[in-house]
Amino acid sequence: MRRLALTCLALAAALLGCSSGSGPGTGGAPAGLAPTPVPSGSAAAKPQVTFVDRLPIARYSYTADDAAVIESAQQVLTKRCLRTYGITYEPPKRKAETSPSADRRYGLSSASEAARLGYHPDIGPLPAGPDLPEDALRVFYGNRGAEPGSAEKVVYKGREVPRNGCFGQSVAQLAKKYDAPDAAEIARTISTQSYEDSLTDPQVTEAFRNWSACMRSSGFRYASPLEPANNKEFQREVISAKEKETARADVRCKEKTGLLDIWFKAESALQKAEIDKNSETLRKLVTAHRKKTEAARRIVVEG
């Protein structure tokens, strides 16, 4: 149980820098169950539930559009750097977004994913790396992957390459000017601590008990929804019929007991209290994000 909780916390912290802004539910959906649009004609044309981008702390993250602009600016800066080494590089064009995976901050929440994947993550295809020859890739990435503290230097045609390559230098260039690391750390702490504290919220623990009773009625014995994904039997490469059956029951019981909505509301309340205590610092983070996004847009326009 503890291991999965920490995994969720790490995921939440990673997502904090790029999740979309929070907002009220749409279409009359209860809090925490706002549908994410799915392209028309999609085989999985059923709204997915979202949580991370609707929690109060999400207001202090980059929106998905902001993150895309910053990524594009990093690519432009990388292209400029590579050009100084005589390397021609064209950043890959951004692909149209496909149907998003369901939010798993509170474990499984999608009946369709449960039926298809059980507890396995919906990873999708990995993005392609830069289309460059091997020696040029060393200029792109620099000494990335070397042992910490390694003094190894990358040299290309007699010129030393930035330690983290042109790409790493480009990321750092924007970060140094615009990031607010202390404020960002406070936001990350709120995001991770609120999740951990929600596990002991009385309404959440009561919902866990109701969920557990529902699972028993389907023949599955788990004390909390954090447990099934830690079942070693469900961590094998092949997704078994038993795993899918358990996952489907898991989602059904969450829907029957209202667990997801209860959990989301409890964590939202915890976050709001902490945000109020740190409002001045968090406003600085919003300003830093705005300035960085504006700078990124200028870089993209300049090309």
Side-chain angles (χ1 to χ4, degrees), residues 31-284:
L33 296 176
T36 297
V38 177
S40 60
S42 168
K46 183 177 180 180
Q48 302 284 30
V49 293
T50 64
F51 302 100
V52 171
D53 64 353
R54 301 188 65 252
L55 284 164
I57 198 63
R59 292 195 298 273
Y60 304 96
S61 300
Y62 294 108
T63 67
D65 287 343
D66 290 345
V69 169
I70 291 168
E71 181 183 333
S72 295
Q74 291 166 348
Q75 291 284 352
V76 169
L77 293 175
T78 301
K79 178 180 179 178
R80 293 178 188 174
C81 174
L82 290 169
R83 191 185 299 143
T84 68
Y85 289 88
I87 298 171
T88 300
Y89 170 65
E90 284 301 324
K93 295 188 182 299
R94 294 185 63 84
K95 294 182 179 179
E97 294 292 335
T98 57
S99 175
S101 299
D103 191 326
R104 292 198 186 187
R105 186 169 180 88
Y106 307 128
L108 285 176
S109 60
S110 165
S112 61
E113 283 188 15
R116 183 167 56 91
L117 298 166
Y119 290 93
H120 282 61
D122 189 9
I123 297 174
L126 295 175
D131 185 16
L132 292 170
E134 189 170 343
D135 58 347
L137 281 175
R138 292 273 281 167
V139 183
F140 190 99
Y141 289 120
N143 205 18
R144 192 175 76 170
E147 288 294 324
S150 170
E152 179 188 353
K153 296 180 180 179
V154 176
V155 176
Y156 181 81
K157 295 184 178 179
R159 285 186 58 202
E160 188 173 333
V161 172
R163 175 170 176 78
N164 293 313
C166 282
F167 181 70
Q169 176 179 267
S170 300
V171 172
Q173 183 176 338
L174 281 172
K176 183 178 180 180
K177 289 183 179 179
Y178 302 105
D179 282 2
D182 292 342
E185 183 58 31
I186 288 174
R188 276 191 292 271
T189 299
I190 291 173
S191 177
T192 56
Q193 191 63 45
S194 64
Y195 177 87
E196 189 158 292
D197 290 347
S198 73
L199 297 174
T200 57
D201 180 273
Q203 289 184 311
V204 173
T205 56
E206 176 65 20
F208 278 13
R209 286 192 288 271
N210 293 337
W211 173 90
S212 180
C214 175
M215 290 291 281
R216 280 198 303 275
S217 69
S218 296
F220 304 103
R221 293 189 172 273
Y222 292 102
S224 93
L226 300 180
E227 291 184 357
N230 273 342
N231 187 335
K232 291 184 179 179
E233 186 180 343
F234 299 162
Q235 295 173 1
R236 298 169 182 167
E237 186 174 350
V238 176
I239 304 172
S240 67
K242 181 180 178 181
E243 178 181 351
K244 292 180 180 180
E245 184 183 359
T246 305
R248 287 195 297 268
D250 181 349
V251 175
R252 280 198 308 272
C253 287
K254 282 174 178 162
E255 292 173 348
K256 183 177 180 179
T257 61
L259 170 58
L260 295 172
D261 190 38
I262 291 168
W263 200 345
F264 174 84
K265 287 179 177 178
E267 187 177 13
S268 294
L270 291 165
Q271 288 192 357
K272 286 175 182 175
E274 291 304 310
I275 288 169
D276 288 344
K277 295 176 187 176
N278 296 277
S279 57
E280 184 176 346
T281 301
L282 290 172
R283 279 196 294 270
K284 293 177 182 177

